[in-house]
Amino acid sequence: MADAFYVPLGDGRFSATAHTAGPWTPDAQHFGPPSALLVRALETVETARPAELARVTVEILGPAPVAELTVRARIERPGRSVELLQAELASAERVVARASAWRIATSDTAEAGTDAGPLLPGPDSVGESPWPEGWQGGYLDAVEWRAVRGGMDVPGPAAVYVDAGLAKTGSLSALKISQRSSMRCRSNSRSWRDRLMSICRCDGPRRMFLP
């Protein structure tokens, strides 16, 4: 099995590996990797000026099989300072998910910056989090999860570091920590984009795509 979540086939087509499988059935993907595919497609939409994605919404329309998928992205509403982008993920002729994103022109906002507040404890301060009994592997085994508040096996909100294989290669560096993702909380990452795209692009053995 390829040591990646997807193998690129060209022309927006990707073959999912068993590393994307969700916890309930080995035949359907956890929607972390498909969401990352959609965001990657949105980021590749051409722009005439420096801009960044400001908000992304993913609508899940049905299960994504562990099979070949096709992703397409486009500009839905153009603009000079704000644009609306759309992306679709399909299995054969069936659309399984859509994503929309606001893309805004970038500028220097240092004068308007505020204190982000206290950071969460670092990921090295906690061990790997357990999963509820009976949940299957696939994506859950391919990613390292460390809860600093709450937990995966208890009800209620949680603050969790998510690492797509980076920490499995050895000691954590400052760069690797900055690329970690955090769900439902403020994290040590530089921005939401670093947190989300840690699933898409990582330096560790569990790459999103094969070279």
Side-chain angles (χ1 to χ4, degrees):
M1 179 172 56
D3 195 16
F5 293 120
Y6 296 104
V7 177
L9 304 176
D11 195 28
R13 295 160 46 244
F14 296 88
S15 178
T17 72
H19 294 307
T20 65
W24 298 283
T25 171
D27 299 322
Q29 298 184 52
H30 183 287
F31 246 91
S35 297
L37 269 185
L38 287 164
V39 173
R40 177 182 182 272
L42 292 167
E43 285 203 320
T44 61
V45 176
E46 291 187 4
T47 178
R49 59 192 63 83
E52 287 191 358
L53 301 183
R55 188 184 71 178
V56 177
T57 302
V58 176
E59 304 285 349
I60 299 174
L61 306 179
V66 181
E68 183 179 322
L69 298 174
T70 302
V71 62
R72 297 281 186 268
R74 66 185 186 279
I75 298 176
E76 182 72 12
R77 198 203 75 180
R80 288 187 297 177
S81 58
V82 180
E83 295 179 308
L84 179 62
L85 310 183
Q86 296 280 352
E88 285 189 348
L89 189 66
S91 171
E93 300 299 321
R94 179 175 64 89
V95 176
V96 298
R98 291 191 180 98
S100 60
W102 290 107
R103 185 169 66 182
I104 62 174
T106 57
S107 61
D108 186 358
T109 59
E111 292 185 2
T114 59
D115 184 5
L119 298 175
L120 290 171
D124 289 332
S125 66
V126 293
E128 290 193 48
S129 300
W131 287 100
E133 185 177 353
W135 286 29
Q136 302 186 44
Y139 180 69
L140 300 186
D141 288 343
V143 177
E144 183 177 344
W145 313 78
R146 297 191 183 193
V148 294
R149 279 205 305 265
M152 302 296 189
D153 55 345
V154 294
V160 183
Y161 283 99
V162 180
D163 190 322
L166 296 179
K168 300 181 188 299
T169 62
S171 60
L172 296 173
S173 67
L175 173 62
K176 290 176 181 177
I177 291 174
S178 74
Q179 290 177 329
R180 287 171 167 266
S181 61
S182 177
M183 302 186 299
R184 295 177 63 100
C185 67
R186 186 182 297 116
S187 82
N188 293 346
S189 300
R190 293 187 297 268
S191 68
W192 75 268
R193 184 172 178 271
D194 289 332
R195 300 196 294 272
L196 181 59
M197 296 311 291
S198 69
I199 301 175
C200 269
R201 297 188 296 266
C202 66
D203 301 324
R206 196 75 65 194
R207 297 182 300 276
M208 190 67 183
F209 311 104
L210 289 179

